[in-house]
Amino acid sequence: MMINQNLMDLIDVMKGDAVHKVACHRCEKVEATLHCSECSLPLCSSCSDIIHVGKLRSHKVVYSATAVSETKRPPRCSQVGHGDYRTDLFCVDCNQLLCVLCSQTDFTHRTHKILPVKEAGEIEKVRLREVLDSSSKLRMELRQVCSSLDGAMLNIERSTTEELLVFERTIDSIKERLDAKKALLMQKARVGSIEQIDTLRQNREQTVSLVAKLNESVAKVERAIHHSNYVDIMTARVEMERDLLQQKPVTISQYCLPQFSIARYKDMVDGIDQLALEFRVVDDRLPDAVIEASNLFQQKGFKLEKSTYGDAQIVNRGTTAISNSRNWETIMSCTLLSQGLHYWEIKLDKYDTKNGHNVMIGVVFDGAFAMCDLLGEDENSLGFNTGKGTKCAGHDFLQPYGTPCSQGDVIGTKLDFASQTIEFLKNGVTMGPAFHLITRPCYPAVSLISDQQVSLLFPTKIPL
């Protein structure tokens, strides 16, 4: 019985078992007939001889075209009953490797875009080269950020050391002056007190002497009066008068108590209590926060560039908007959208629910940005009310539409000029078309109020 080799080859191709010619990894010109298991490289014989010299001569080289092609073949399908088929197809929508049976029997993939893995790999190779270029730029920027952070840390350490040294010297100087002043005032208080005590002691001695003299004169007079001796009475009176006149008067000195200037002292104590440490903001701003590496794989889109009053902060290269204002303010991209299909997402990073609308997401029509404080406040803008889950247009903020949102939710906006619709998605799930007959060019926008922060995202694919 004759074997139909063409049919067998076709079956091998369908299963993914067909032997493919592989170019040498080194020269990329000659077909590879060797495979080094330790280098994991397909090589031609000439390049293998060039590479495997010296210590590399001991590498295990397999002389087999099948072994070479085996290294390039995709793995076999893991689905039950598909083990004879290789996953040589790629579903773009599911981002998944498939075998030919999976692509035909799984209803999920029937409407999806499916490519041969080689074709998908070539597309991804171009995309990965762009990612590598972007990552190179990002690595350079990250090095600059690290350098800036190192400089900032050194500046903080140096400034802290200098400030502490100055503060310590100032406090030491104050302590020295206070100690000197303390010793001086304490000595002055002691000396002054001793002098006043000595003066008062002398006054006391004079007073005691006068009292003794007076007591003696009084005793003489009392005796004369008691004996009714008139001569003695007159003599005692004369002597008493003479003694009192001869006695020097005792002058009692005024005395003073030591007292420090309490009011000024309290001021000084209060001044010490008012000593404080503050961290001032330096003029040298560090680079904006580093964009996450996952952004390298996002599709490139627009960025947030301006706000109604200029109060909102726009950082991370236009991908993050922060509002601390008490008034509504709209942050908008400068990219005008007028045709085709567009999709972007807003992540609710910081979500304060104090206000009624919380965050408004939508578009501003061309020429109306300067008048737009809040999306949906007139016919020149449209928005989705994340606080109420309603859609907003013409100053009607409560048109029934979707469900309220919370912090961490991701709200997608799909603008399709072909179908003239705007559709909003919550965490990847559509809430249905919100607005129809969209023909005017418009700008992507978001309205924020105090304590709100959002991030602009571009997923790798547009949801169906």
Side-chain angles (χ1 to χ4, degrees):
M1 181 178 175
M2 297 293 293
I3 297 176
N4 189 334
Q5 188 61 44
N6 291 332
L7 181 58
M8 294 296 294
D9 292 342
L10 182 58
I11 292 173
D12 288 340
V13 170
M14 292 184 63
K15 290 183 175 180
D17 288 333
V19 177
H20 303 279
K21 291 183 179 181
V22 180
C24 175
H25 180 81
R26 182 176 179 274
C27 64
E28 298 183 348
K29 297 178 180 179
V30 182
E31 180 184 353
T33 57
L34 307 175
H35 178 259
C36 177
S37 59
E38 297 186 50
C39 296
S40 297
L41 297 175
L43 302 166
C44 66
S45 58
S46 300
C47 292
S48 178
D49 294 338
I50 294 173
I51 292 176
H52 295 103
V53 294
K55 293 182 179 181
L56 302 182
R57 185 173 294 176
S58 60
H59 283 193
K60 184 178 180 181
V61 179
V62 179
Y63 295 85
S64 169
T66 303
V68 172
S69 61
E70 197 70 33
T71 61
K72 294 293 182 178
R73 291 182 184 179
R76 295 187 182 275
C77 185
S78 59
Q79 295 293 328
V80 178
H82 299 188
D84 292 337
Y85 295 86
R86 295 186 181 274
T87 53
D88 55 357
L89 299 176
F90 184 76
C91 179
V92 177
D93 296 285
C94 296
N95 199 25
Q96 180 182 355
L97 288 170
L98 306 172
C99 72
V100 65
L101 288 184
C102 291
S103 66
Q104 298 300 318
T105 59
D106 192 337
F107 292 98
T108 306
H109 306 295
R110 287 194 174 182
T111 58
H112 291 181
K113 184 178 181 180
I114 297 177
L115 300 175
V117 70
K118 183 177 180 180
E119 182 180 345
E122 289 297 329
I123 296 173
E124 192 65 27
K125 187 191 296 183
V126 174
R127 184 160 165 263
L128 285 175
R129 286 198 178 110
E130 294 176 356
V131 170
L132 290 176
D133 291 340
S134 300
S135 66
S136 299
K137 295 177 182 178
L138 181 59
R139 286 200 302 270
M140 185 178 299
E141 293 174 1
L142 291 177
R143 292 193 193 99
Q144 294 175 354
V145 171
C146 290
S147 178
S148 299
L149 292 174
D150 290 339
M153 289 186 289
L154 288 175
N155 190 20
I156 291 173
E157 291 179 355
R158 182 175 60 252
S159 298
T160 301
T161 302
E162 293 174 355
E163 195 69 17
L164 287 175
L165 184 60
V166 171
F167 182 73
E168 187 176 10
R169 287 176 177 173
T170 302
I171 295 298
D172 289 342
S173 175
I174 292 173
K175 288 172 62 178
E176 290 177 1
R177 295 176 64 181
L178 284 175
D179 289 340
K181 194 70 173 178
K182 171 186 172 183
L184 177 63
L185 294 178
M186 290 179 68
Q187 180 66 20
K188 184 176 180 181
R190 291 192 184 97
V191 171
S193 298
I194 291 172
E195 290 177 351
Q196 290 192 92
I197 290 172
D198 289 342
T199 301
L200 293 177
R201 186 177 286 115
Q202 292 175 3
N203 293 154
R204 185 179 186 283
E205 291 175 354
Q206 292 174 357
T207 303
V208 170
S209 176
L210 177 60
V211 169
K213 200 70 174 176
L214 181 60
N215 289 338
E216 183 179 351
S217 299
V218 169
K220 287 182 180 180
V221 171
E222 288 178 346
R223 283 196 300 271
I225 293 173
H226 179 71
H227 294 290
S228 299
N229 188 334
Y230 297 109
V231 175
D232 291 340
I233 289 173
M234 296 304 298
T235 302
R237 186 192 71 80
V238 172
E239 289 179 353
M240 183 178 181
E241 184 178 1
R242 185 184 64 247
D243 291 342
L244 292 176
L245 290 175
Q246 290 178 353
Q247 186 68 30
K248 292 181 179 180
V250 178
T251 303
I252 305 299
S253 302
Q254 292 289 335
Y255 67 93
C256 302
L257 296 176
Q259 184 176 9
F260 294 99
S261 300
I262 299 298
R264 297 293 301 275
Y265 174 74
K266 286 183 177 179
D267 292 341
M268 184 171 63
V269 173
D270 292 340
I272 293 174
D273 292 337
Q274 292 174 5
L275 285 175
L277 175 64
E278 297 179 353
F279 287 91
R280 60 182 177 84
V281 178
V282 296
D283 295 332
D284 299 333
R285 283 196 62 187
L286 291 173
D288 288 339
V290 180
I291 296 178
E292 297 178 2
S294 59
N295 288 359
L296 291 172
F297 292 93
Q298 293 186 358
Q299 66 173 0
K300 303 303 178 184
F302 52 83
K303 60 182 180 179
L304 302 173
E305 297 179 77
K306 63 180 182 179
S307 60
T308 309
Y309 303 111
D311 295 331
Q313 292 181 321
I314 301 175
V315 297
N316 288 355
R317 302 178 189 172
T319 62
T320 299
I322 305 170
S323 174
N324 295 314
S325 174
R326 295 183 178 180
N327 300 317
W328 280 101
E329 187 170 12
T330 297
I331 299 94
M332 188 184 77
S333 168
C334 290
T335 301
L336 183 64
L337 308 180
S338 58
Q339 60 183 354
L341 176 62
H342 305 275
Y343 181 77
W344 64 94
E345 293 179 338
I346 297 293
K347 182 179 180 183
L348 306 177
D349 297 323
K350 187 177 180 182
Y351 194 67
D352 191 348
T353 57
K354 293 177 183 177
N355 65 83
H357 305 308
N358 302 332
V359 174
M360 303 286 282
I361 299 171
V363 297
V364 176
F365 291 115
D366 189 19
F369 175 70
M371 300 177 290
C372 183
D373 296 336
L374 179 62
L375 292 175
E377 65 182 356
D378 55 29
E379 67 279 359
N380 292 314
S381 61
L382 304 171
F384 170 62
N385 185 332
T386 62
K388 306 292 185 182
T390 57
K391 58 182 181 180
C392 311
H395 204 71
D396 185 357
F397 297 103
L398 300 176
Q399 300 179 38
Y401 176 60
T403 57
C405 305
S406 57
Q407 184 167 308
D409 285 344
V410 177
I411 308 303
T413 304
K414 185 195 290 188
L415 172 61
D416 190 352
F417 283 98
S419 62
Q420 300 181 355
T421 60
I422 293 180
E423 177 183 348
F424 295 101
L425 296 85
K426 178 180 175 182
N427 298 324
V429 179
T430 181
M431 291 183 281
F435 303 103
H436 299 272
L437 301 177
I438 306 300
T439 57
R440 297 167 59 186
C442 56
Y443 297 94
V446 57
S447 295
L448 303 177
I449 200 168
S450 61
D451 297 327
Q452 307 286 16
Q453 177 177 326
V454 297
S455 294
L456 176 63
L457 304 175
F458 294 96
T460 55
K461 63 179 181 179
I462 298 177
L464 298 176

